[in-house]
Amino acid sequence: MYQIVPVAPGEQQMAGGPGGSPLKKKLAHEGRPLVMAGMLGCVLVLAAVVAWCYYSASLRKAQLLETELLDLKKDGFVIRNLAGAVIFTMTFRSDTLDLDSCSKEGNILSCTKSDSGKLNFFIQTVRLKDTVMCYRVRWEELENVHSVEHAMAYNGSHWYGGAELATQHWPIEIQGEEEPRPFITSDVYSNRNAFGGILERYWLSSNATAIKINDSVPFHMGWSEKDRTLRFQARYHESPFRPPEGLQALPELSYRVCVGSDVTSIHKYMVRRYFPKPIKVPSPEVFERPVWSTWALHKTAVTQEKLLRYAADITKHGFNCSHLELDDRYTADYGEFDFDPQKFPNASGMFDKLREGGFQVSLWTHPFINYDSINFGVAVEKGLFVRELGGELPALVRWWNGIGGILDFTNPEAREWYSSHLRMLKTRYDVISFKFDAGETSYLPRQFSTLVPMSDPSTFTRRYTEMAIPFSERAELRVGYQSQNISCFFRIIDRDSVWGYELGLKSIIPTVLTISILGYQFVLPDMIGGNAYPNRTAGGLDGKSDLPDRELYIRWLELSAFMPAMQFSIPPWAYDNEVVEIAQKFTELHKTLVAPRVLELAGEVLNTGDPIIRPLWWIANDDEAAYKIDSQFLIGDDLMVAPVLEPGKQERDIYLPAGRWKSYKGEHFDKGPMHLTDYPVDLDELAYFIWVH
């Protein structure tokens, strides 16, 4: 039922008038601001919705560009630890990403454009263990771009690995500004600024991150002291790298970054996953007894008479010997495989005498055949040499003993020809093994071709190291690239007879630690006292400049006694009876204390790849001091060695990591970590400490 509300007569009259009532006009007039306000409100609401959409999109984009502790930006990426701290920073130097081209699917974050054009970029997250996170990174150019470069920041941490260098530091020291150059094996003795004969594309940092550059990358490396960065570059332009046959020369920079809980565990993970392992342990005798080489003592003037006298003197002075190493030059010409009848008139009789005296002999060998050798024409006819680019002629190369061809070890026929000559020497003279010298890519011509094309010139080094496999029990190499499974001794490059970091006594520990981190554990340091080259020899004895400084020789000898193997050339009796007695003491200490522990660890290397010679941080990875020490090392986890490496010193500062330690003098230290300041070490002593369980 409706309810009728009465209206006053005046109101009804005004409402029904023909021209519209005053009330209606008033309401219409007052309604305009309300409409405007409503429209404005709608605009504001719409703006808010649009802003929210943009915010949501940007939030989604920000979330898109994050993946498992990694944040991607247009000019690089950062990796954080679980606490949120940045532990790894990589900057894109050659170009920047177009983030609008990026997408994320599962654990792969990919982009298709840079500011310069099309590319294939992705970062794939691989959670391999609860404690290890890895990121596969690839930047592949799809247009005509010469290079890709990323720069890795130090982030206040300490870095290790890379390559043997002439001036070796531990950790790596960045000095100056260096444009990226080919990361390939080179002879650092002749070129002090090059990367060395043993190298791998692997670096490790104290904040538990590691980076491994992929094999497929035409890899160049530089650095910047100003920016505190290592520069990683891929390029084919003006480079010795070649794209695989049939592919366009478009550079690709790809690598893996892995993050762990601590530096020791992440290194163990990387070695087990990415490095080959040796398949056997070399001869125990080389670990236990010194190698005696003719090189530093006699250089190329060695003769049959000198070799026999050298062997007799070793016995006369009461030393033992794993084997004698007959070095350059026992052949008439370089590239021949028999003895010079002028210098060795009765080689067979000489070997008989040496065997009667208990000596086994290894011979020096190399990959060169000089143009004046009788074998040069044979090798040309058979096509055994590395050739000129696109031609059939051998590419002549200059090395430290002249000019000749270099054998092409990608050629099975060249490999067999070379091996057959080594087998012949072994059979005819009962030679025990060989010292394989050279093998660096720096001895290849700038432009060359091989039977099997090589994208990476350092593949030549790998092929050369394979020639040592049949003789690996006592074989010696001075080069290595992806050669960790060649189960022989790897010798660090020739040392000068000086104290310092440039191929001197102080460089030995940093170099051995570096190549150990790169997976080469059966290390043979160079000859005790260095090579005694003219103008590269410190001191001298009574004006005899051909002998290293006496104190330097003694300190070198003491350090070598705690390395996996010892190598003499300049004999202790070249000095005096005291030096002979010190040498006898330390060769015995090496045999009784060091060698048994080293052999035990060498057996473990086959399964783990872990270093025999270890940095202090191996057992103290939460100790900042341990990351910077380059004059002490560990054998395993429980024997710590601190040699004197300074002239005129009979004391040194020693750092003991946390734990209970017993010194070689019988002292006990159990309040570590601690610094022992001016710890006394006599000239005939080396300080070492054993961890007490």
Side-chain angles (χ1 to χ4, degrees):
M1 175 149 319
Y2 295 101
Q3 180 180 7
I4 299 174
V5 179
V7 179
E11 292 177 352
Q12 187 163 349
Q13 176 68 29
M14 288 192 306
S21 70
L23 176 61
K24 188 173 183 180
K25 291 181 180 179
K26 180 181 179 183
L27 288 173
H29 178 73
E30 292 178 352
R32 287 175 188 162
L34 293 175
V35 172
M36 293 296 292
M39 291 176 62
L40 182 59
C42 289
V43 171
L44 291 173
V45 169
L46 183 61
V49 169
V50 171
W52 174 256
C53 290
Y54 273 111
Y55 172 74
S56 298
S58 63
L59 188 64
R60 284 194 297 274
K61 177 63 73 174
Q63 291 171 340
L64 167 71
L65 301 181
E66 294 177 2
T67 174
E68 295 279 11
L69 306 177
L70 181 145
D71 299 341
L72 177 65
K73 303 173 184 177
K74 69 175 184 177
D75 59 352
F77 64 89
V78 299
I79 299 173
R80 303 175 186 275
N81 61 17
L82 291 173
V86 173
I87 56 172
F88 185 89
T89 303
M90 189 71 89
T91 302
F92 305 146
R93 280 182 59 101
S94 52
D95 207 346
T96 56
L97 293 173
D98 176 357
L99 295 183
D100 289 333
S101 75
C102 299
S103 61
K104 184 177 179 183
E105 184 174 344
N107 62 347
I108 300 178
L109 197 164
S110 59
C111 308
T112 58
K113 291 182 182 178
S114 69
D115 287 352
S116 299
K118 294 180 181 179
L119 57 74
N120 173 24
F121 173 85
F122 72 79
I123 297 177
Q124 180 181 13
T125 305
V126 185
R127 184 184 285 277
L128 297 153
K129 295 170 60 178
D130 289 341
T131 57
V132 176
M133 182 75 73
C134 288
Y135 305 90
R136 293 178 57 218
V137 182
R138 177 171 177 158
W139 184 304
E140 180 185 16
E141 288 291 345
L142 301 179
E143 297 183 347
N144 192 23
V145 175
H146 283 323
S147 67
V148 181
E149 184 177 328
H150 296 175
M152 183 182 76
Y154 262 41
N155 278 334
S157 59
H158 307 289
W159 285 86
Y160 313 91
E164 178 184 25
L165 302 171
T167 303
Q168 198 94 44
H169 292 283
W170 179 272
I172 294 169
E173 286 189 8
I174 291 182
Q175 297 179 343
E177 307 297 309
E178 184 70 32
E179 287 297 311
R181 47 191 168 89
F183 193 74
I184 54 178
T185 59
S186 300
D187 179 354
V188 294
Y189 195 84
S190 61
N191 181 359
R192 301 293 172 108
N193 295 318
F195 301 113
I198 298 175
L199 56 71
E200 299 292 335
R201 303 169 168 200
Y202 172 68
W203 288 265
L204 175 73
S205 95
S206 58
N207 61 12
T209 58
I211 182 168
K212 178 78 168 60
I213 310 294
N214 288 358
D215 297 345
S216 58
V217 175
F219 183 52
H220 297 64
M221 182 182 162
W223 53 85
S224 171
E225 182 178 9
K226 177 172 62 73
D227 297 335
R228 298 291 294 161
T229 58
L230 294 180
R231 297 170 59 185
F232 299 148
Q233 186 186 83
R235 79 168 189 263
Y236 291 111
H237 181 65
E238 296 181 349
S239 164
F241 291 91
R242 297 285 174 265
E245 285 195 341
L247 295 181
Q248 196 175 352
L250 295 174
E252 164 221 325
L253 182 57
S254 56
Y255 49 89
R256 292 171 186 254
V257 180
C258 291
V259 180
S261 56
D262 63 79
V263 62
T264 304
S265 63
I266 193 62
H267 177 68
K268 286 185 176 186
Y269 170 80
M270 297 296 285
V271 167
R272 283 156 177 73
R273 191 168 182 87
Y274 298 117
F275 289 167
K277 312 294 183 301
I279 58 174
K280 63 179 181 179
V281 177
S283 169
E285 287 190 17
V286 184
F287 289 101
E288 294 167 347
R289 302 175 183 176
V291 176
W292 295 79
S293 170
T294 61
W295 175 247
L297 180 63
H298 292 303
K299 304 294 192 298
T300 57
V302 66
T303 63
Q304 177 174 320
E305 180 186 357
K306 289 176 180 177
L307 181 62
L308 289 170
R309 189 186 316 130
Y310 191 37
D313 284 343
I314 293 169
T315 302
K316 173 184 172 183
H317 290 93
F319 290 93
N320 55 30
C321 174
S322 65
H323 59 266
L324 270 175
E325 195 170 76
L326 178 52
D327 211 295
D328 183 16
R329 113 183 218 180
Y330 56 90
T331 60
D333 292 304
Y334 293 107
E336 297 178 10
F337 296 89
D338 209 346
F339 287 84
D340 180 348
Q342 300 295 319
K343 299 172 75 175
F344 296 86
N346 184 7
S348 295
M350 176 188 74
F351 276 94
D352 289 340
K353 285 185 179 180
L354 290 169
R355 275 191 297 274
E356 289 170 10
F359 289 95
Q360 300 184 91
V361 180
S362 70
L363 297 178
W364 178 73
T365 186
H366 54 84
F368 307 103
I369 300 178
N370 279 11
Y371 70 90
D372 54 355
S373 164
I374 56 173
N375 281 326
F376 186 82
V378 174
V380 170
E381 185 179 343
K382 291 179 177 289
L384 306 182
F385 285 131
V386 172
R387 302 183 307 278
E388 292 180 349
L389 190 63
E392 294 299 320
L393 292 175
L396 293 181
V397 300
R398 180 180 294 278
W399 63 298
W400 66 89
N401 277 328
I403 297 173
I406 186 166
L407 291 168
D408 177 6
F409 292 109
T410 74
N411 182 347
E413 190 175 349
R415 294 162 71 92
E416 174 54 31
W417 183 85
Y418 181 67
S419 293
S420 67
H421 283 287
L422 299 186
R423 292 195 301 270
M424 178 273 295
L425 283 167
K426 186 172 172 59
T427 301
R428 180 180 296 177
Y429 300 109
D430 196 22
V431 170
I432 192 68
S433 193
F434 296 91
K435 171 184 176 177
F436 292 83
D437 214 349
E440 297 91 348
T441 62
S442 54
Y443 288 109
L444 291 168
R446 186 170 179 81
Q447 300 287 333
F448 67 90
S449 64
T450 50
L451 183 68
V452 178
M454 296 187 299
S455 297
D456 179 354
S458 292
T459 304
F460 179 84
T461 293
R462 163 69 199 185
R463 296 291 166 260
Y464 181 56
T465 63
E466 291 167 355
M467 305 310 299
I469 291 175
F471 314 101
S472 60
E473 279 284 301
R474 295 170 187 257
E476 173 187 324
L477 284 159
R478 80 174 198 185
V479 291
Y481 176 65
Q482 301 176 358
S483 306
Q484 295 92 338
N485 62 330
I486 310 295
S487 303
C488 68
F489 287 89
F490 287 85
R491 175 177 65 89
I492 65 177
I493 195 70
D494 301 34
R495 304 286 116 172
D496 289 331
S497 300
V498 296
W499 288 92
Y501 284 103
E502 184 180 337
L503 295 178
L505 177 60
K506 286 184 182 178
S507 72
I508 293 177
I509 295 174
T511 303
V512 172
L513 288 173
T514 296
I515 65 174
S516 295
I517 286 295
L518 299 179
Y520 297 89
Q521 309 309 342
F522 307 138
V523 183
L524 181 64
D526 195 41
M527 288 160 273
I528 290 167
N531 286 265
Y533 292 128
N535 303 320
R536 291 178 174 173
T537 299
L541 182 68
D542 298 330
K544 297 179 182 177
S545 60
D546 56 337
L547 280 181
D549 175 74
R550 179 180 185 272
E551 182 188 7
L552 173 67
Y553 183 89
I554 292 170
R555 293 306 192 190
W556 205 306
L557 159 67
E558 292 164 353
L559 170 57
S560 293
F562 284 82
M563 288 287 158
M566 300 179 71
Q567 186 176 31
F568 282 102
S569 185
I570 294 171
W573 54 88
Y575 293 91
D576 52 50
N577 288 336
E578 183 187 15
V579 176
V580 171
E581 290 170 4
I582 294 172
Q584 290 170 336
K585 169 184 172 180
F586 276 91
T587 52
E588 182 63 22
L589 188 63
H590 176 83
K591 181 179 179 181
T592 57
L593 174 69
V594 178
R597 184 69 181 116
V598 167
L599 279 166
E600 181 184 352
L601 292 163
E604 296 174 8
V605 167
L606 308 186
N607 296 318
T608 67
D610 290 348
I612 293 172
I613 304 299
R614 300 174 181 176
L616 263 59
W617 53 250
W618 192 266
I619 60 169
N621 47 54
D622 58 350
D623 186 343
E624 174 65 18
Y627 287 114
K628 297 180 283 188
I629 291 176
D630 67 352
S631 62
Q632 299 174 222
F633 60 92
L634 295 162
I635 301 174
D637 287 348
D638 50 12
L639 178 55
M640 198 272 288
V641 184
V644 173
L645 304 175
E646 299 279 353
K649 298 288 187 182
Q650 296 201 21
E651 69 282 323
R652 64 156 292 165
D653 295 342
I654 295 173
Y655 183 73
L656 290 178
R660 300 177 62 207
W661 296 94
K662 180 182 178 181
S663 79
Y664 69 107
K665 299 176 182 179
E667 307 149 310
H668 286 267
F669 304 92
D670 56 6
K671 294 181 181 179
M674 68 174 68
H675 290 272
L676 306 179
T677 305
D678 291 336
Y679 186 83
V681 187
D682 290 343
L683 183 61
D684 64 346
E685 293 180 325
L686 178 144
Y688 63 91
F689 300 78
I690 296 172
W691 192 73
V692 181
H693 296 274

